[in-house]
Amino acid sequence: MEIDAMDAAPTTSGGDNEVKLKEHLATLNATTPAATKLTRAKQDEIEQAVYDVANAYANQGNARRVHELLAQVKPIFSYLPNAKTAKIVHTLVNIVSRVSHEQELVVDLCLESIEWAKSSDRTFLRQRLEARLASCYLDMGSYKKALKVLSVLLAEIKRFDDKLLLLEVQLIESRVHYKLLNMAKAKASLTAARTSANAIYCPPSLQAQIDLQAGILHAEEKDYKTAYSYFFECFEGLTAVETNSTVKKEAMVPLKYMLLSKIMLNSISDVNNIIATKAALGYTGREVQAMRAVANANQARSLEQFYKAREDYKEDLTNDVFVDRNLNQLEDTLFEQNLCRIIEPFSCIEITHVAQLINLSVEKVEKKLSQMILDKKLKGILDQGANTLIMHEELPPDQTYPAAIETISALNKVLDSLYQKARSTTNL
């Protein structure tokens, strides 16, 4: 996670900061030649004024004013060093992306800033802004646009040998491929990101993102034990450095995934143990309550409780694609287990009766029974005329064919032995 310069800014009233910044702009435009370089103290004062105003707008949740602020301060960039102007632009873009709920606004700001960076010949700033643009496209679901930006950017960064930015871009690329369900390319990009991380000092927050992505990809392969270990490393990496509100929000994601991994492994007692640990005590939001409700439903093998948990915590469970996908698999497992438990005592049972017992529609139950029969999880047939399920007895496996193959194999060995003896007799 990046710590914006605005976080370190002193908090004063937004109106006073805005007046102070306007005074700086008016003074520079009126009296100072464009080629003049200001003193270090004056540069820091202007920079801090920009951050203070941006901070005030961010506290109000007004991302558009931060967007407008960037356009207002661009005239004074000619008085500041390139490094400082790049820092200001990058920080304001980060503030807008954090505050705004409209991804289109962030994309517009990124595109405007990229054009300005191109015209000003700010190559490194442009590359970082393009990485941010690709991340915005990823959040918007515009995966083709994201890949288009990333493909050009990756080739350029490799020439510049900027390992840290290369690592960030490769991680974004892995996430895009995962969203497109291209697991092979997602793993390849993640492997490349790990290689880049091994060649440099990797910040803890970035290492946590690598661990999170690795855990997600392992969970997609149903390797939940390994996935849990990666989620745990991510959670530890985020909480070990600092515990401000932004970090807590980010750390909630791996914690939620840790609980989900234990649910998928059917280790319900571990779910309660994790929630009760010292590290997780500060995380008691709706996400944790949702995972606890799902765990209780899984322990009770109750579809009714499971559906109630998904309905009660719909926003917390369905908005996360990874959680939603795994809960759909858990729903199928619970559905099949409940059907098998109901059907087991019967050789013939009405589908309507099964639907009443499981409290679901007849169509849904019939469809699931058909699927289980085709997958050979049930031995039986559906009699649609009588609307019944007829179960077949499991017969012991027929040993005729294995015995015949064994006999033929034994005869083959005998014939080989006789042939060798006859051949040795002939040679004598």
Side-chain angles (χ1 to χ4, degrees):
M1 184 202 73
E2 297 179 355
I3 305 299
D4 295 330
M6 59 163 282
D7 293 334
T11 54
T12 55
S13 63
D16 293 342
N17 290 325
E18 196 168 357
V19 170
K20 191 186 298 183
L21 180 60
K22 285 180 178 178
E23 289 175 358
H24 285 304
L25 291 171
T27 304
L28 289 172
N29 290 336
T31 64
T32 310
T36 304
K37 291 297 180 184
L38 305 177
T39 62
R40 180 65 182 269
K42 189 68 173 177
Q43 292 171 11
D44 292 343
E45 187 181 348
I46 293 171
E47 182 186 7
Q48 193 63 49
V50 173
Y51 293 150
D52 286 340
V53 175
N55 195 17
Y57 290 152
N59 290 337
Q60 297 168 8
N62 197 337
R64 290 193 177 275
R65 293 299 299 272
V66 183
H67 186 178
E68 293 167 4
L69 175 64
L70 182 55
Q72 291 171 8
V73 299
K74 278 180 183 177
I76 68 170
F77 285 169
S78 57
Y79 304 102
L80 302 175
N82 288 350
K84 198 172 285 291
T85 57
K87 182 182 176 184
I88 292 172
V89 172
H90 192 236
T91 301
L92 294 186
V93 170
N94 286 342
I95 293 170
V96 173
S97 63
R98 190 178 63 196
V99 174
S100 175
H101 299 292
E102 303 174 29
Q103 288 297 332
E104 292 81 3
L105 178 64
V106 186
V107 169
D108 290 342
L109 179 57
C110 287
L111 291 171
E112 290 173 14
S113 302
I114 288 168
E115 289 303 317
W116 175 81
K118 285 179 180 177
S119 63
S120 306
D121 199 22
R122 311 288 180 92
T123 304
F124 291 103
L125 174 60
R126 175 182 56 78
Q127 290 172 347
R128 292 201 166 275
L129 290 171
E130 285 177 348
R132 170 66 71 180
L133 177 63
S135 182
C136 291
Y137 282 142
L138 170 62
D139 294 337
M140 289 173 61
S142 303
Y143 305 128
K144 287 185 178 180
K145 289 183 179 179
L147 285 177
K148 186 178 179 181
V149 173
L150 290 170
S151 60
V152 177
L153 186 57
L154 272 171
E156 187 178 355
I157 294 173
K158 286 175 182 176
R159 290 201 305 271
F160 279 86
D161 200 29
D162 187 346
K163 295 287 187 184
L164 186 59
L165 183 56
L166 178 63
L167 167 58
E168 294 177 11
V169 171
Q170 287 168 334
L171 193 56
I172 295 170
E173 185 184 37
S174 177
R175 289 172 180 161
V176 173
H177 286 307
Y178 167 71
K179 293 290 186 180
L180 292 169
L181 301 181
N182 192 335
M183 298 305 166
K185 287 190 176 181
K187 285 195 281 187
S189 297
L190 182 62
T191 303
R194 280 177 170 168
T195 304
S196 299
N198 290 335
I200 58 168
Y201 167 73
C202 184
S205 58
L206 199 54
Q207 182 61 51
Q209 293 178 30
I210 294 173
D211 291 333
L212 182 67
Q213 183 67 8
I216 289 172
L217 294 180
H218 277 283
E220 289 296 331
E221 295 175 344
K222 306 296 182 291
D223 186 3
Y224 291 106
K225 285 186 178 179
T226 308
Y228 173 82
S229 65
Y230 277 115
F231 294 143
F232 180 75
E233 289 293 331
C234 176
F235 180 71
E236 270 200 332
L238 288 172
T239 55
V241 183
E242 52 185 328
T243 55
N244 58 41
S245 58
T246 308
V247 172
K248 278 193 172 185
K249 186 177 179 181
E250 291 183 359
M252 183 63 79
V253 176
L255 176 60
K256 183 166 61 172
Y257 292 175
M258 284 163 60
L259 298 176
L260 179 63
S261 299
K262 288 299 182 182
I263 292 170
M264 299 304 291
L265 288 168
N266 205 24
S267 303
I268 308 304
S269 59
D270 289 343
V271 172
N272 296 321
N273 292 338
I274 292 168
I275 295 172
T277 57
K278 184 179 178 181
L281 284 177
Y283 302 87
T284 54
R286 282 181 57 86
E287 291 95 338
V288 174
Q289 294 173 10
M291 288 294 111
R292 194 200 293 270
V294 172
N296 291 337
N298 189 31
Q299 187 176 30
R301 294 287 185 270
S302 171
L303 264 178
E304 187 176 352
Q305 283 186 35
F306 181 81
Y307 288 137
K308 186 177 185 301
R310 293 196 76 170
E311 185 62 33
D312 291 345
Y313 301 97
K314 187 174 182 179
E315 187 176 342
D316 304 290
L317 296 176
T318 57
N319 286 351
D320 191 318
V321 176
F322 174 72
V323 173
D324 189 50
R325 190 178 299 170
N326 280 277
L327 288 184
N328 287 338
Q329 295 174 8
L330 182 62
E331 180 186 348
D332 284 343
T333 304
L334 281 175
F335 198 178
E336 290 174 3
Q337 288 174 349
N338 276 263
L339 284 175
C340 290
R341 178 171 53 82
I342 292 170
I343 293 165
E344 191 177 4
F346 301 96
S347 59
C348 181
I349 184 171
E350 288 186 357
I351 298 174
T352 51
H353 183 58
V354 176
Q356 288 172 1
L357 292 175
I358 207 167
N359 199 22
L360 291 172
S361 65
V362 175
E363 293 79 9
K364 191 170 184 178
V365 171
E366 187 175 356
K367 184 178 178 180
K368 190 62 181 176
L369 289 172
S370 302
Q371 185 183 339
M372 290 175 70
I373 291 170
L374 290 172
D375 292 342
K376 298 185 178 178
K377 294 178 180 178
L378 281 180
K379 289 187 177 292
I381 58 169
L382 288 172
D383 186 345
Q384 291 186 322
N387 198 28
T388 57
L389 170 68
I390 302 170
M391 298 297 296
H392 295 157
E393 290 186 13
E394 269 196 53
L395 299 173
D398 193 350
Q399 298 296 328
T400 304
Y401 293 114
I405 291 171
E406 190 177 344
T407 303
I408 292 169
S409 179
L411 284 172
N412 190 37
K413 290 179 181 178
V414 170
L415 288 173
D416 286 343
S417 177
L418 290 173
Y419 173 74
Q420 291 296 335
K421 286 184 180 180
R423 188 175 179 182
S424 60
T425 305
T426 305
N427 290 338
L428 291 174

